[in-house]
Amino acid sequence: MGLRCCAVLLLLCVFDFASATDVADYGGVPLWINRLLGEPSVMSLQERMDAAWFRANNPQSCPIQCDCPIQWPTALYCDHRGLADIPDHLPETTQYLFLQSNNISSLSSSLLANITALRWLILDHNQLLDLVTLQNQTQLCYFFANYNHLRSVPSVLPAGLKQLRLAHNQISSISPGAFQNLHNLTLLLLQGNKLQTITEGDLKGLFNLNLLELSGNLFSAVPRHLPTSVQQLYMSSNTLPGLDKNSFGGFLNLKYLRLSHCSLQSSGIHQQVFNFSSLVELDLSYNKLKTIPTVPTTLQYLYLEANEIQEFNVSSFCREWGPLSYSRVKILRLEGNRMSYQQLPSNWAFCLRVLESIYI
């Protein structure tokens, strides 16, 4: 009986945790919001709640341009208000400050000076040109400034940052030493900018970076000086003439690699470029490949749709096959190429024995 009660309690705890976690899409990568930690469950209160009622019943002071919901006393919603500046007299208890979709072009250090416990700062869809006032925000963990007019990664950022989202700006350079103290940063979004290269030292200090998003920039080659801790590297929509043997040689545990829409050709891809056992997912869709590149037998998800592939090479997946030698590919996408099911060789099933879905 006791064991049964413990099992029921465990299931209830798991259910409660799952139901208390929301997901919001910010900067192209989902943001997990955990209400058990007191984090707000929505990014905007516009047309969701009666601001006048909350203002009349909330004992805390609240700027007239913002909403201060009772159920999230540390959250301040000032989004979608047409603001040119951050409101005055922000509550000292503010930990979550939502300022997205305004016309803010700069941050005033004096307006943020009295907020010492700020954890989230959301400034997406504004007119920001530069950031110079965040170094004193020692508790800041999440900073979002997607869809602004930043020309470079700010030079002084809080050391405690865990996520930095700067997608879809006009960033063409990284200020010297910008990341040297960001040892806790796990996610960096820089897609949709104007970066052409990343030089040695630009990303120095990012010892725990897990996800690096560089899609939609002006790279002509995979940068050589990227943090070795990265497990998810996204470089789609760059123009990459080729990939040499050492294009990804510096990574210790790369699992997810996206290279779609990069104008890749089979003649420019070295046969061993993807030969590392940590790789789980590889996206090479919407390129100009004529053959299936050689992939490790540990790969599980391979996306090759919308290329110019004309034949199925079993050797691309298995150099040999037997009781312990076979490909772990589960999902294989080949639709939009120049081949059909009838062109599959008779021995392909001996190699891809755990395949769950194939699309041709």
Side-chain angles (χ1 to χ4, degrees):
M1 182 66 181
L3 290 175
R4 183 179 299 176
C5 290
C6 290
V8 172
L9 286 173
L10 179 60
L11 288 173
L12 287 174
C13 289
V14 171
F15 175 80
D16 287 342
F17 178 81
S19 63
T21 304
D22 294 333
V23 184
D25 188 359
Y26 251 65
V29 175
L31 171 67
W32 292 89
I33 304 165
N34 192 334
R35 280 180 280 165
L36 293 179
L37 298 178
E39 296 174 345
S41 64
V42 295
M43 290 294 165
S44 176
L45 295 183
Q46 290 290 298
E47 300 180 356
R48 291 175 178 265
M49 299 180 180
D50 187 343
W53 184 91
F54 278 110
R55 188 175 300 280
N57 291 275
N58 196 339
Q60 296 183 347
S61 60
C62 184
I64 190 65
Q65 306 98 319
C66 308
D67 293 333
C68 303
I70 296 174
Q71 68 272 41
W72 298 309
T74 60
L76 189 63
Y77 292 83
C78 312
D79 58 286
H80 297 84
R81 312 299 166 105
L83 301 177
D85 296 295
I86 297 176
D88 296 323
H89 308 298
L90 299 179
E92 295 181 1
T93 58
T94 302
Q95 295 183 18
Y96 305 91
L97 180 55
F98 302 102
L99 289 162
Q100 66 269 26
S101 300
N102 282 295
N103 297 312
I104 299 170
S105 60
S106 63
L107 299 181
S108 171
S109 58
S110 59
L111 293 176
L112 294 176
N114 67 319
I115 304 177
T116 60
L118 193 62
R119 291 179 51 81
W120 290 11
L121 179 57
I122 314 295
L123 281 160
D124 291 0
H125 294 282
N126 273 281
Q127 307 295 324
L128 289 174
L129 299 171
D130 193 14
L131 297 171
V132 294
T133 62
L134 296 177
Q135 61 268 30
N136 295 325
Q137 298 297 327
T138 58
Q139 303 300 313
L140 192 64
C141 295
Y142 301 88
F143 177 59
F144 302 169
N146 304 301
Y147 297 98
N148 278 277
H149 302 295
L150 301 176
R151 295 185 179 276
S152 66
V153 175
S155 58
V156 182
L157 294 165
L161 278 182
K162 295 180 179 179
Q163 293 190 9
L164 179 59
R165 304 187 182 218
L166 301 175
H168 303 288
N169 279 273
Q170 299 177 27
I171 296 172
S172 59
S173 64
I174 298 173
S175 302
F179 299 109
Q180 63 182 357
N181 296 319
L182 302 190
H183 306 324
N184 297 319
L185 197 71
T186 61
L187 180 146
L188 175 59
L189 303 189
L190 290 170
Q191 74 268 30
N193 281 287
K194 298 181 179 181
L195 288 168
Q196 298 185 47
T197 185
I198 293 177
T199 60
E200 187 175 6
D202 281 351
L203 302 184
K204 183 180 179 181
L206 299 180
F207 303 129
N208 291 298
L209 191 66
N210 180 286
L211 190 155
L212 178 59
E213 170 62 278
L214 296 172
S215 299
N217 276 278
L218 302 175
F219 292 106
S220 58
V222 178
R224 296 296 188 187
H225 307 287
L226 300 180
T228 58
S229 60
V230 168
Q231 296 184 28
Q232 302 174 67
L233 177 61
Y234 304 151
M235 287 203 63
S236 297
S237 299
N238 285 283
T239 302
L240 305 177
L243 300 173
D244 61 39
K245 181 179 180 180
N246 298 315
S247 289
F248 308 103
F251 294 102
L252 303 177
N253 199 24
L254 186 61
K255 290 182 171 63
Y256 302 91
L257 179 59
R258 295 181 183 174
L259 295 168
S260 64
H261 297 277
C262 285
S263 300
L264 287 169
Q265 300 184 31
S266 295
S267 58
I269 297 180
H270 192 278
Q271 187 176 9
Q272 299 297 319
V273 66
F274 302 122
N275 190 26
F276 44 98
S277 60
S278 62
L279 199 61
V280 173
E281 180 180 281
L282 177 60
D283 184 358
L284 294 170
S285 60
Y286 295 91
N287 281 291
K288 300 177 180 179
L289 303 179
K290 295 185 180 296
T291 59
I292 299 174
T294 301
V295 296
T297 57
T298 53
L299 190 71
Q300 297 182 35
Y301 305 94
L302 179 58
Y303 308 124
L304 289 165
E305 65 268 29
N307 276 278
E308 301 172 6
I309 298 172
Q310 302 179 22
E311 61 177 335
F312 190 97
N313 303 311
V314 177
S315 60
S316 296
F317 302 92
C318 297
R319 268 55 75 192
E320 59 181 18
W321 54 84
L324 299 177
S325 302
Y326 56 91
S327 171
R328 272 67 175 179
V329 167
K330 296 179 180 179
I331 305 295
L332 176 58
R333 299 194 60 170
L334 285 164
E335 68 268 36
N337 282 282
R338 300 176 180 177
M339 58 179 300
S340 63
Y341 279 107
Q342 287 71 29
Q343 293 176 269
L344 291 176
S346 58
N347 60 351
W348 74 273
F350 294 101
C351 169
L352 291 103
R353 65 176 66 175
V354 297
L355 190 69
E356 297 176 1
S357 299
I358 182 172
Y359 304 89
I360 297 181

